């Protein structure tokens, strides 16, 4: 039996850096029955697939806590109505405990409550309420509990507040410590500072609460990690702070111990190092809060309340309790709670927040409405068709969340480096210590040397103190603190920015691939063109001897069009539908065919009123030995205008031809022009004949034409381009062009509307606007630029700092970096990454919605011609 | 419970390896500092403790991860 893997997204608390990510990933991967484990620092989530037959959530939670982190559990109290006895209690508890994600459920019969402990993100409150309803009871939340958005925001705010408090204490007291340490250098300012502040004992007493208060998190986290055999950046900080503080205490209490004496008390190192590292942590917490704004904005669109009509009575219920087929009333100014179909009423709905349509869309009976959009003018009732996680809005949120949780290949490399870096740093610290202890101090030590940016002399420090100082500085300065955030923060900002413009990037890998594209292939019909062709010309063959079966006269244009339309009556092909529409527009009566056969890639044959009718391209006519020479010139002329020509043969003789044309989409030429400016080669793929395809391509500015391609061969054409060594994107219909989209390095499904779940492809363009291809590319490039910049800022301080921190230049300049300066540099690297990521918020695509199509740059769309023979 | 016992066994076996390694490195440092050079006792002891601590930090996760992998059924 095939294993049914389930996908789960677990919240993980306690991660602070890339090596934490690495440890959690390893712990989950080591479990039997997991696959595709991805841990994201920016979203604090671990996403994985697991086999429920081999593994439970409890096993995963334990694996995470074994390596020193936690999966937070949330508590919720439900009011349960309808319970009367102990067996009711057992039923309700059993129903809740069966839900994946529920850790415990305790029902109190006397209070009519069920207290549930669960993992947020794995199970929802609506699922719990539904489970209780399914066993025959009613449940609702006891109080207006926070929804997922509020909980998530609350958790982030708590973290920001916690680190902010730590920063205030560590920073505030640290400044006082610094003033006391440098008392002798204050000059005239000494008048404002009490002398006792400079006493080592006092400085020690001030530093102690910093190290044991705000600094305690580093010691507890590293001890927890070490006892589970893992190392992370907390260890670097704990070792550095602990060593500086420890030596300072020894030199204060036992100045003659030989560790450098009173002149080598580095309390300010311990204090300021703690403060600067916490500054970095606080900034990271802020960044994580800001960059998930896109999700927050989308989540805010989800209405909380729905007005349901049940038993002819209006009831206001939580929106997540709406069931399919419920009749819902929406008044002017209200948000539509779920997806549905209008049953009665009429209104205009603002769908701009989801689809980007700037004008309100009219809705009448039978029209679809989307949950999260805003009803403007009228009141109407509609039947719910999609609720809960199936609504368009929920699908979009999930897609953006999944994208933000995913990892780009470049990030996997950065995480791997950071994860292995910690051990390497400790080895380096040993090497630095040993070198300076045995060799360097004797050869190079200068009693007049000092710290960079400090007049503090190192004269009394001694061999051990000096070597330890350099070793500790190397530990601190090597820490790649910002690496863990560099890529995910940029990816979050980028996916959020794209979502604002109706471009949904499904995974971080899609962003990285999109930024490297060299060729973009457009499907023609429905992508570059509007996909609604119409009949432009009907030409009768002058040499045709075909007689109409109805009036026994020579065929006219109407006869020809009618026969063709009857043959195509049940066709789903856009060209066939165009012929049917053209015949109906002329008032021609369409009867059923007597027989019908579709020949893929060529046309159709049918028996119409006892006549054998063939309708299709040149290939079909040649195969059936129909002589179309007389029509060839006219066909070429029409194809040269970009029209698609279909030949009609009746009883084996060429009867005439019908020309059909589709109009180009607005902005098609401009979009292609912008892509050329980005250095992208453009191609068009179509089943049309080459002449027609090239005419369209000329109008739009396409570089390469792939014509006469059968639908099943589109993926092959994409593969051929890839075989030339190109990175290829395919833009087309997410359902019909699925194989080609899947084959491409980046598949872009355009005009998906809001049913995003069924779309194949790495990028989903919600609106039917070709400009969004340019937007997708530009956002991807901007995001990857940001990723690379962030990685640069994250690593540059380490790269430059390690030689300095290890004392490589000391023999020449007699200066070394103090541990607290090293800590400040690490905090600055976090600041740099944070600020750099926030700059992405100001990104604007080069093709904007309010821009009008420019005349003269691209070719105008072809005008429809009237049919000949009218 | 079984999982916890496995974790304890891994921790115990790992400790039997990384503790002697770090101690050995620390003592090697002390030996070199004593034999080659005229260092104050405090410097030698301080250096021994620091090198021992860093060696412990380096060896502990390497050894623990290796023992875990050897013990894992999929290895």
């Amino acid at each position: 039996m095939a294993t049914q893997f389930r996908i789960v997204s677990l919240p993980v608390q306690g991660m602070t850096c890339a090596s934490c990510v690495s440890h959690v990933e390893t712990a989950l991967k080591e479990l039997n029955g997991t696959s595709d484990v991805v841990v994201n620092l920016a979203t604090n989530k671990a996403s994985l697939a697991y086999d429920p037959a081999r593994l439970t959530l409890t096993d995963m939670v334990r694996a995470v806590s074994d390596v020193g982190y936690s999966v937070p559990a949330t508590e919720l109290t439900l009011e349960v109505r309808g319970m009367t006895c102990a067996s009711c209690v057992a039923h309700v508890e059993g129903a809740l405990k069966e839900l994946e994600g529920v850790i415990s459920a305790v029902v109190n019969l006397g209070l009519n409550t069920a207290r549930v402990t669960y993992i947020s993100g794995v199970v929802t409150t609506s699922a719990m309420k539904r489970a209780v309803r399914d066993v025959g009871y009613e449940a609702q939340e006891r109080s207006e509990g926070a929804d997922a958005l509020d909980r998530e925001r609350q958790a982030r705010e708590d973290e920001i507040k916690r680190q902010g408090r730590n920063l205030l204490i560590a920073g505030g007291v640290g400044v006082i410590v610094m003033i006391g340490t440098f008392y002798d250098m204050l000059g005239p300012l000494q008048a404002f500072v009490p002398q006792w502040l400079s006493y080592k004992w006092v400085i020690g007493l001030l530093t102690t609460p910093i190290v044991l208060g705000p600094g305690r998190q580093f010691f507890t986290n590293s001890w927890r990690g070490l006892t589970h055999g893992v190392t992370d950046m907390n260890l670097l900080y704990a070792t550095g702070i602990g060593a500086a503080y420890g030596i300072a205490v020894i030199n204060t209490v036992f100045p003659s111990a030989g560790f450098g004496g009173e002149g080598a008390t580095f309390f300010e190192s311990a204090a300021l190092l703690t403060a600067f590292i916490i500054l970095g942590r606080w900034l990271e917490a802020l960044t994580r809060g800001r960059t998930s704004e896109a999700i927050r904005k989308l989540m805010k669109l989800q209405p909380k309340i729905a007005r349901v009509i049940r038993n002819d009575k209006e009831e206001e219920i939580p929106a997540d309790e709406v069931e399919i087929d419920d009749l819902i009333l929406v008044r002017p100014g209200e948000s539509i709670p779920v997806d549905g179909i209008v049953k009665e009423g009429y209104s205009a709905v603002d769908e701009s927040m989801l689809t980007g349509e700037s004008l309100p869309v009219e809705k009448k009976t039978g029209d679809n409405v989307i949950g999260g959009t805003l009803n403007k003018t009228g009141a109407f009732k509609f039947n719910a068709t999609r609720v809960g996680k199936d609504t368009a809005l929920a699908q979009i949120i999930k897609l953006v969340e999944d994208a933000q949780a995913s990892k780009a290949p470049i990030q996997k490399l950065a995480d791997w480096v950071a994860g292995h870096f910690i051990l390497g740093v400790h080895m380096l610290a040993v090497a630095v210590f040993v070198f300076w202890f045995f060799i360097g101090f004797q050869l190079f030590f200068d009693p007049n040397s000092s710290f960079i940016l400090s007049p503090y002399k190192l004269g009394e420090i001694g061999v051990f103190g000096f070597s330890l100082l350099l070793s500790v500085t190397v530990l601190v300065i090597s820490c790649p603190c910002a690496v863990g955030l560099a890529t995910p923060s940029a990816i979050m900002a980028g996916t959020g920015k794209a979502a604002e413009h109706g471009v949904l990037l499904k995974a971080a890998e899609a962003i990285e691939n999109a930024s490297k594209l060299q060729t973009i292939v457009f499907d023609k019909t429905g992508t570059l063109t509007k996909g609604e062709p119409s009949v432009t010309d009907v030409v009768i063959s002058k040499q045709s001897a075909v007689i109409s079966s109805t009036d026994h006269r020579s065929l006219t244009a109407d006869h020809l069009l009618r026969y063709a339309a009857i043959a195509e009556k049940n066709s789903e092909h856009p060209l066939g539908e165009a012929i049917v529409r053209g015949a109906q527009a002329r008032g021609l009566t369409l009867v059923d065919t007597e027989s019908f056969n579709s020949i893929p890639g060529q046309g159709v044959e049918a028996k119409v009123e006892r006549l054998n009718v063939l309708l299709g391209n040149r290939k079909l006519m040649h195969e059936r030995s129909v002589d179309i020479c007389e029509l060839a010139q006219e066909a070429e002329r029409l194809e040269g205008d970009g029209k698609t020509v279909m030949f009609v043969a009746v009883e084996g003789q060429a009867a005439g031809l019908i020309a059909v044309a589709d109009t180009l989409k607005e902005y098609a030429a401009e979009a292609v022009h912008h892509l050329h400016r980005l250095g992208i080669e453009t191609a068009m793929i179509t089943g049309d004949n080459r002449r027609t395809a090239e005419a369209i391509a000329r109008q739009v500015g396409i570089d390469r034409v792939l014509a006469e391609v059968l639908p099943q061969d589109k993926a092959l054409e994409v593969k051929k381009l890839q075989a030339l060594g190109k990175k290829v994107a395919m833009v087309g219909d997410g359902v019909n062009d699925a194989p080609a989209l899947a084959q491409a390095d980046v598949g872009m499904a355009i005009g998906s509307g809001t049913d995003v779940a069924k779309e194949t492809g790495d990028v989903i363009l919600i609106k039917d606007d070709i400009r969004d291809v340019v937007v997708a590319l530009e956002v991807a490039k901007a995001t990857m630029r940001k990723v690379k910049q962030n990685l640069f800022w994250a690593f540059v301080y380490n790269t430059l700092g390690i030689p300095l921190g290890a004392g490589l230049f000391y023999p020449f300049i007699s200066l070394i970096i103090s541990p607290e300066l090293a800590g400040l540099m690490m905090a600055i690297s976090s600041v740099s990454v944070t600020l750099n990521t926030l700059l992405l918020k100001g990104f604007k695509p080069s093709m904007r919605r309010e821009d009008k199509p420019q005349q003269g740059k691209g070719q105008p769309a072809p005008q429809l011609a009237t049919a000949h023979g009218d | 419970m079984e999982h916890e016992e496995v974790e304890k066994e891994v921790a115990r076996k790992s400790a039997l390896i990384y503790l002697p390694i770090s101690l050995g490195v620390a003592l090697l440092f002390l030996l070199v500092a004593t034999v080659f050079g005229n260092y104050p006792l405090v410097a030698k002891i301080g250096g021994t403790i620091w090198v021992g601590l860093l060696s412990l930090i380096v060896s502990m996760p390497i050894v623990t991860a290796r023992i875990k992998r050897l013990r894992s059924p999929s290895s």
Side-chain angles (χ1 to χ4, degrees):
Chain A
M1 195 181 336
T3 305
Q4 291 286 344
F5 274 78
R6 282 190 210 161
I7 313 260
V8 73
S9 186
L10 294 173
V12 178
Q13 263 182 4
M15 295 190 297
T16 54
C17 61
S19 60
C20 303
V21 166
S22 177
H23 297 318
V24 173
E25 272 186 1
T26 305
L28 289 169
K29 280 177 183 168
E30 278 176 357
L31 291 172
N32 253 329
T34 59
S35 75
D36 302 325
V37 178
V38 174
V39 177
N40 189 298
L41 176 64
T43 56
N44 283 326
K45 286 206 171 121
S47 304
L48 64 146
Y50 74 100
D51 178 6
R54 288 189 282 170
L55 204 57
T56 64
L57 269 181
T58 312
D59 295 327
M60 289 182 254
V61 170
R62 192 188 301 124
V64 170
S65 67
D66 277 350
V67 290
Y69 305 93
S70 63
V71 177
T74 312
E75 268 197 16
L76 169 74
T77 303
L78 294 172
E79 262 184 27
V80 183
R81 291 189 297 274
M83 294 190 296
T84 54
C85 63
S87 69
C88 301
V89 168
H91 287 149
V92 171
E93 279 185 357
L96 287 168
K97 282 177 184 170
E98 268 176 15
L99 293 173
E100 191 175 57
V102 169
I103 299 171
S104 76
V106 176
V107 174
N108 186 312
L109 182 60
L111 297 174
N112 283 323
T113 57
R115 180 131 40 99
V116 186
T117 307
Y118 66 100
I119 299 172
S120 169
V122 179
V123 64
T124 61
T125 50
S126 58
M128 288 184 242
K129 286 187 273 192
R130 200 169 298 126
V132 171
R133 273 203 298 276
D134 285 347
V135 292
Y137 305 92
E138 282 302 312
Q140 64 182 37
E141 285 168 70
R142 191 183 202 176
S143 56
E144 283 303 312
D147 62 8
L149 168 63
D150 292 338
R151 269 197 298 276
E152 185 244 346
R153 187 177 58 211
Q154 192 61 44
R156 289 200 197 283
E157 281 176 4
D158 287 345
E159 175 67 11
I160 291 170
K161 275 185 199 158
R162 191 175 73 90
Q163 295 297 358
R165 256 194 320 270
N166 285 337
L167 183 62
L168 273 176
I169 297 169
V173 180
V175 167
I176 298 171
V177 165
M178 203 167 66
I179 291 171
T181 304
F182 294 110
Y183 178 82
D184 294 335
M185 284 134 216
L186 290 177
L189 292 173
Q190 281 179 357
F192 302 102
V193 179
Q195 196 183 9
W196 52 259
L197 199 60
S198 66
Y199 298 162
K200 294 299 174 192
W201 285 96
V202 172
I203 294 173
L205 282 172
L206 287 170
T207 304
T208 302
I210 296 177
V211 171
L212 299 181
R216 196 162 162 266
Q217 57 182 303
F218 307 124
F219 296 97
T220 51
N221 290 342
S222 12
W223 176 249
R224 193 178 52 210
L226 269 179
T227 54
H228 291 95
V230 299
T231 57
D232 60 19
M233 293 178 195
N234 288 299
L235 190 57
L236 294 178
Y237 305 144
T239 331
I241 295 168
Y245 180 74
I247 294 299
V249 166
I250 291 172
N251 280 334
T252 303
V253 178
F254 305 108
S256 322
F259 288 103
E262 274 198 6
T265 50
F266 301 111
F267 283 120
E268 81 286 358
S269 292
L272 294 176
L273 183 56
T274 308
F276 290 141
I277 293 166
I278 290 174
L279 171 64
R281 289 278 164 95
W282 179 67
L283 289 168
E284 283 170 20
L286 278 179
T287 305
R288 279 186 237 162
R290 295 250 161 82
T291 51
S292 66
E293 219 171 292
I295 295 279
R296 204 160 292 132
K297 273 188 194 164
L298 285 170
M299 281 179 165
K300 270 188 189 157
L301 295 176
Q302 283 177 321
K304 293 193 167 49
I305 300 292
R307 196 174 292 108
V308 173
I309 298 174
R310 287 177 180 163
N311 303 321
D312 293 327
K313 277 185 1 190
E314 267 180 43
E315 253 182 75
E316 278 193 6
I317 61 171
D320 60 6
E321 289 184 14
V322 174
E323 306 277 343
I324 292 178
D325 288 333
D326 271 347
L327 187 63
I328 300 164
L329 171 66
V330 185
R331 297 206 171 106
E334 290 177 347
S335 283
I336 295 169
V338 296
D339 297 354
I341 297 179
V342 178
K343 191 171 178 207
E344 65 179 79
Y346 178 86
S347 185
V349 173
D350 179 1
E351 296 184 336
S352 60
M353 59 285 287
L354 280 187
T355 67
E357 274 306 325
S358 48
L359 295 175
V361 180
E362 287 179 1
K363 299 289 180 187
K364 56 187 185 308
T365 305
D367 286 339
N368 287 319
V369 290
I370 310 168
T373 54
L374 187 63
N375 182 29
K376 300 287 278 184
T377 52
F380 62 90
K381 294 177 188 169
F382 72 96
N383 286 115
T385 52
R386 289 190 298 190
V387 301
K389 60 176 170 43
D390 296 325
T391 61
L393 180 56
Q395 287 178 35
I396 291 171
I397 289 170
K398 175 107 185 22
L399 207 138
V400 176
E401 266 183 336
D402 287 348
Q404 294 191 342
S406 63
K407 253 190 223 194
I410 194 171
Q411 186 192 339
K412 288 177 192 165
L413 178 63
D415 283 350
W416 185 90
V417 168
H420 288 79
F421 209 64
I422 308 297
L423 279 183
V425 166
H426 280 87
M427 289 182 195
L428 180 65
V430 173
V432 164
F433 180 81
V434 167
F435 169 78
W436 285 100
F437 190 93
F438 289 116
I439 302 169
F441 189 81
Q442 281 76 29
L443 286 178
F444 304 118
F445 181 68
D446 176 2
N448 292 316
S449 59
S450 61
F451 291 118
I452 291 174
L453 298 179
S454 164
Y456 200 175
K457 296 281 185 244
L458 299 168
E460 298 170 35
I461 198 167
V463 60
F464 172 69
F466 185 77
S467 308
L468 181 69
L469 205 59
L470 287 166
S471 184
V472 165
T473 302
V474 159
L475 281 177
V476 175
I477 212 166
S478 308
C479 175
C481 325
V483 167
L485 262 188
T487 306
S489 62
I491 296 290
M492 281 180 77
T495 49
K497 181 56 63 177
E500 281 176 26
H501 290 91
V503 174
L504 303 181
L505 298 155
K506 271 189 178 176
E509 199 168 342
I511 299 176
E512 195 165 333
N513 288 342
S515 70
K516 297 176 187 167
L517 288 174
Q518 291 153 304
T519 303
I520 295 187
V521 181
F522 291 91
D523 185 48
K524 181 181 82 73
T525 307
T527 301
L528 286 176
T529 66
K530 289 184 180 171
E532 283 183 2
S534 53
V535 172
T536 57
D537 303 80
V538 182
V539 177
I540 296 292
S541 168
K542 293 183 179 67
Q543 293 174 1
S544 171
V546 179
I547 302 293
S548 156
S549 61
T550 48
D551 55 15
H552 305 290
R553 290 188 189 162
S554 298
L555 275 188
T556 62
D558 276 0
H559 286 133
L560 191 74
L561 185 60
R562 182 169 170 270
Y563 286 157
I566 292 170
E568 291 277 15
K569 196 176 170 196
N570 295 317
S571 172
E572 289 179 353
H573 195 284
L575 299 179
E577 288 174 348
I579 291 175
V580 170
R581 278 197 301 271
Q584 284 170 342
R586 289 168 192 236
L588 302 174
T589 319
L590 304 182
V591 298
D592 289 333
T593 55
E594 287 145 47
S595 70
F596 173 83
N597 181 33
S598 168
I599 305 148
Q602 293 183 29
V604 300
E605 64 180 334
K607 204 167 185 82
V608 177
E609 293 172 347
R610 297 184 305 281
L611 293 172
N612 291 313
V613 175
L614 267 183
L615 173 71
N617 54 23
R618 282 180 183 76
K619 199 170 175 191
L620 179 65
M621 298 299 138
H622 287 146
E623 276 190 11
R624 299 302 176 93
S625 306
V626 174
D627 181 7
I628 53 170
C629 292
E630 191 260 329
L631 294 165
Q633 199 179 0
E634 185 65 10
E636 281 173 22
R637 185 190 69 77
L638 290 165
E639 283 166 349
D641 288 342
K643 296 174 186 176
T644 302
V645 166
M646 283 171 282
F647 297 93
V648 185
V650 179
E651 292 297 316
Q653 291 181 47
L657 60 79
I658 299 173
V660 168
D662 195 356
T663 45
L664 280 176
K665 278 187 185 167
E666 230 180 347
Y667 303 111
E670 280 80 10
V672 168
H673 177 69
H674 268 82
L675 290 172
H676 287 154
R677 283 220 313 244
L678 290 172
I680 306 282
E681 183 198 14
T682 53
M684 184 179 78
I685 194 165
T686 177
D688 269 350
N689 69 79
R690 180 153 290 278
R691 201 172 288 110
T692 305
E694 281 175 356
I696 299 278
R698 270 194 305 276
Q699 289 170 17
V700 181
I702 295 282
D703 302 307
R704 192 196 281 250
V705 176
L706 306 166
E708 297 172 13
V709 178
L710 295 173
Q712 61 268 27
D713 292 335
K714 281 184 183 173
L716 202 59
E717 291 298 324
V718 171
K719 204 171 175 179
K720 282 183 195 169
L721 286 170
Q722 289 171 319
L724 297 174
K726 293 177 186 287
K727 284 267 185 227
V728 179
M730 170 77 191
V731 185
D733 183 291
V735 176
N736 297 323
D737 293 325
L741 261 62
Q743 175 65 42
D745 296 294
V746 179
M748 295 194 196
I750 187 168
S752 68
T754 49
D755 198 359
V756 300
K758 66 175 172 41
E759 301 288 341
T760 305
D762 310 289
V763 181
I764 294 176
L765 311 177
I766 295 178
K767 299 181 288 295
D768 197 17
D769 189 334
I770 199 82
R771 288 177 293 180
D772 286 344
V773 175
V774 179
V775 171
L777 231 67
E778 287 180 337
V779 169
K781 283 182 185 289
T783 305
M784 287 314 295
R785 260 198 312 274
K786 204 53 66 182
V787 165
K788 286 171 188 164
Q789 288 164 7
N790 283 353
L791 286 172
F792 169 78
W793 286 119
F795 276 115
V796 72
Y797 294 97
N798 307 114
T799 312
L800 293 177
I802 288 175
L804 270 176
L808 189 68
F809 302 110
Y810 177 78
F812 312 105
I813 59 176
S814 293
L815 289 172
I816 58 172
I817 292 185
S818 62
E820 63 269 28
L821 182 60
L824 179 61
M825 287 172 73
M826 292 307 101
I828 291 176
S829 80
S830 292
V831 173
S832 310
V833 166
T834 305
L835 291 177
N836 197 41
T837 299
L838 290 174
L839 289 176
L840 198 53
K841 288 182 173 297
F843 171 80
K844 284 185 174 52
S846 61
M847 293 191 84
R848 282 181 287 188
R849 212 94 12 243
E850 53 273 16
D851 291 344
K852 301 281 180 241
Q854 293 183 31
Q855 296 302 324
K857 273 215 171 141
Q859 295 286 335
Q863 298 298 311
L864 289 180
T866 55
H868 292 173
D870 280 348
Chain B
M1 281 307 278
E2 192 189 323
H3 180 81
E4 281 171 17
E5 279 164 21
V6 166
E7 285 290 314
K8 278 185 188 160
E9 192 196 334
V10 166
R12 198 169 33 86
K13 279 189 176 163
S14 308
L16 285 174
I17 298 172
Y18 62 68
L19 280 176
I21 289 175
S22 2
L23 196 60
V25 171
L27 288 174
L28 180 63
F29 174 88
L30 184 59
L31 183 68
V32 173
T34 305
V35 171
F36 299 102
N38 193 15
Y39 298 101
L41 180 64
V42 165
K44 282 190 278 192
I45 291 173
T48 302
I49 294 172
W50 182 243
V51 167
L53 179 64
L54 289 180
S55 306
L56 183 70
I57 289 170
V58 168
S59 59
M60 194 193 257
I62 295 175
V63 170
T64 307
R66 192 143 289 179
I67 299 288
K68 254 190 200 169
R69 252 196 316 272
L70 288 172
R71 222 197 159 284
S72 161
S74 57
S75 66

